[in-house]
Amino acid sequence: MRTWHRVVSLVAALLVLELRAEVDLQSLDRSVRPQDDFYRFANGGWLKSHPVPEDQAAWGPDAILKQGIQERMRAILERAAARRNPGPVERLVGDFYASGMDEAAINAAGVEPLRDDLDRIAAIANTADVAAVLARLHRWGIPAGFVAGVEPEPRSSRTYVGYLAQGGVGVPSRDFYLSDAAISQSLRKLYEAHVAKILELAGDSSEGAQQSAVAVLRLEKALAQGFRAPAEMMDPTANTHLLTLADLQELTPLFKWSVFFQQIGVAAPGTIDVGQPEYLKTFASVLVVAPLGDWKAYLRWQVLHAAAPSLSDAFVREDFKFYHQTLLGTPQLADRWRRVVVALEVIGQALGQVYVADAFTPGAKTRATALVREVRAAFRARVARLDWMDNTTRAEALRKIDALVIKVGYPDKWPEYEGLSINRGPFAGNIRRAIEFNVARELAKIGRPVDRAEWTMTPQTVDANYNAPLNAITIAAGYLQPPYFDARPEAEPLGNYAGIGATVGHEITHGFDTQGCQFDATGALHNWWQAGSGGRFAERAAEIVRQFDGYVVLDGLHVSGQLTEAEDIADLGGVLAAYDAYRAASVRQPPVASIGGFTPDQRFFLAYATAWRQNTRPEYLRAIVTTDAHAPNPFRVNGPLSNMPAFARAFDVPEGAPMRRPVAKRVAIW
């Protein structure tokens, strides 16, 4: 065994040992009362001793697991790249990895892998040429001008349709472009300098690059003026508009949509879901009004921005400087091999096959699936006894729970990559071909029946999700590790309920948050609620918005309860369902009465809190508060637990304490 592999194995083992501790007394901060700030009580010791690494914006269990998976993937990919007679999947991932690690060839190639596109942009002579280049970039997965994609048809969820949405700017925040706040003005200047530097690296003169950067910012600001605010994007009904091609052309007569669809390979788009019609009007207006030179600068920037992480070192460093150092506060660029492993997620399901074969067993999948079903049963029981829901609505809710599709670990059928050409040549070329392959595969779905068994998440991902149009939850193999899920026989079961169980409950509850509740058991978007129950649900949801609006992140910056509403509801429903499942399991297998002086219920809540521990850089916090639908981690612990009577009983939290919300304000939904 090579020395490096021994070191990685040791580091990975130490990380796992750290994550496996169900009750880690060193993680506590006993100077804080659990009644005042449970997140800090449970995690204060750990937070003090685990600063954010130089190549990270935040550090906690998710980041630790991701690094461990990257280390395992590195060993797998190096073996695949070195194997003389690899299988098709091993050859694909091995050649791709080798091309990404060939730093000398990448630096020598410069921007030549992009030459064809850059030349086409330089040759633009009129608006029709702009539209043609836009279509070409969309085939490469670049959302120039707007976002385009494929989804289940929202009203029936039976066939796939194309969708169009706001997008196409370098920073996905409307306030970044439009706010007069000093910090926004400062960031815009830094962004302008970044765009200029990227263009200069691509061969523009210093003066020309600066002029083009000004044009890019001007055009992107014009597009951003048509954006809806992040909170407005949370309502699926308000962001669904099913149009025919004729309707779409009438909405924006200045842009030839039939030509666009033909050029991206969709001869008959049929029904198209337009998320924000007013944005497409803005886009079409800017297309005509903005000078042709501005569009050429913008399109050149879009190509270089998308490719920068796969280009030479100078592009990589400049891209990192703005998007990671400036916006997220990350001081240090990650090692090349880590960046290559992340970049290879463009063939994520191929990586998933080799990862699962190496790291995840069918037995773990079986045990995790059983736990998912236990939590679903607990959530179902909660819905069955709700006192605020009428019987007609309740019957539909129970039908939706029973119809839930459960996907655990990895797909039963792997997607194929036949026809994708990957070689050991320029890395940027491989990235591009992989993205084009993925886009073409997605576009080919339009008009076809929806595949409810399809995985939209890769198995090595440290995450889980709920897909409303499919009424399905997915828990990836990468997430099924300590501290979320521990398959060891000696591990205390309650830790699994507090970890992956709360996540499962969270994803199930997403089917019944303010967004998911608009989809029925089949995944169709329509109102299945009786008016009285719908009104009572809205009242309870409004209270959780008020609760989270009151949380201060830093320097007077508050959480936006309207932006995080759906996630906050899911957090509360998730921990409630997980707690019920843990209590039911405790009847079958009673837990140890006391460990470290903590009762089983106390250990459950401690395990829940430690799963959320995270140190963050202030720049990262500012970024997520304005754009992320999730509240910062401390509030994802203290928020839901302060609404739980079971938590108050477990830690003797008195009325009036911060961790026990007044009865009149206590949120009780699911």
Side-chain angles (χ1 to χ4, degrees), residues 100-133:
M101 292 302 295
D102 192 348
E103 191 169 4
I106 292 170
N107 286 333
V111 295
E112 284 310 303
L114 313 177
R115 181 56 57 197
D116 188 36
D117 281 307
L118 297 178
D119 288 347
R120 286 175 183 268
I121 293 168
I124 286 175
N126 51 50
T127 302
D129 289 346
V130 172
V133 172

Side-chain angles (χ1 to χ4, degrees), residues 282-307:
T282 298
F283 156 74
S285 174
V286 173
L287 179 64
V288 174
V289 172
L292 203 60
D294 286 14
W295 275 103
K296 292 170 75 169
Y298 165 80
L299 293 170
R300 183 174 172 83
W301 154 245
Q302 284 281 309
V303 169
L304 293 165
H305 167 56

Side-chain angles (χ1 to χ4, degrees), residues 53-57 67 70 101 103 309 313 316-317 320-321 324-325 330-342:
E54 291 294 289
D55 64 348
Q56 300 287 321
Q67 287 215 335
Q70 288 171 7
M101 292 302 295
E103 191 169 4
D313 287 344
V316 170
R317 286 194 299 269
F320 174 80
K321 179 181 175 182
H324 296 271
Q325 283 186 329
T330 309
Q332 182 177 303
L333 182 66
D335 292 340
R336 169 169 285 279
W337 70 264
R338 287 194 186 276
R339 290 182 276 119
V340 173
V341 169
V342 171

Side-chain angles (χ1 to χ4, degrees), residues 229-273:
E232 295 176 306
M233 298 291 288
M234 296 294 104
D235 185 347
T237 299
N239 288 278
T240 295
H241 306 85
L242 300 179
L243 306 181
T244 65
L245 186 59
D247 294 334
L248 179 59
Q249 195 60 63
E250 183 179 353
L251 176 71
T252 54
L254 300 177
F255 187 76
K256 302 301 181 184
W257 288 104
S258 60
V259 175
F260 171 81
F261 282 111
Q262 288 171 3
Q263 290 176 333
I264 64 172
V266 181
T271 300
I272 303 146
D273 181 13

